[in-house]
Amino acid sequence: MAATAQMAERLASLQERLYAASTAGDRRRVLLVLQGMHTSESLAS
């Protein structure tokens, strides 16, 4: 969980910088795609 919290802090910092830049007229955009892992057992028997 510590790695996730550290990554969340980093992403929040980058998002804040991107927002600040956009309010100053910067037109760059970022698309972030996250994929989770499905770890439960199959329901089909």
Side-chain angles (χ1 to χ4, degrees):
M1 279 300 204
T4 302
Q6 186 177 16
M7 186 183 310
E9 289 179 23
R10 176 75 173 138
L11 287 174
S13 173
L14 292 172
Q15 190 275 334
E16 188 174 326
R17 290 174 57 192
L18 183 64
Y19 175 76
S22 73
T23 61
D26 195 334
R27 299 199 34 92
R28 291 181 286 180
R29 301 290 183 259
V30 174
L31 173 62
L32 177 64
V33 179
L34 301 176
Q35 179 178 350
M37 291 177 34
H38 183 157
T39 59
S40 66
E41 293 182 26
S42 175
L43 295 176
S45 295

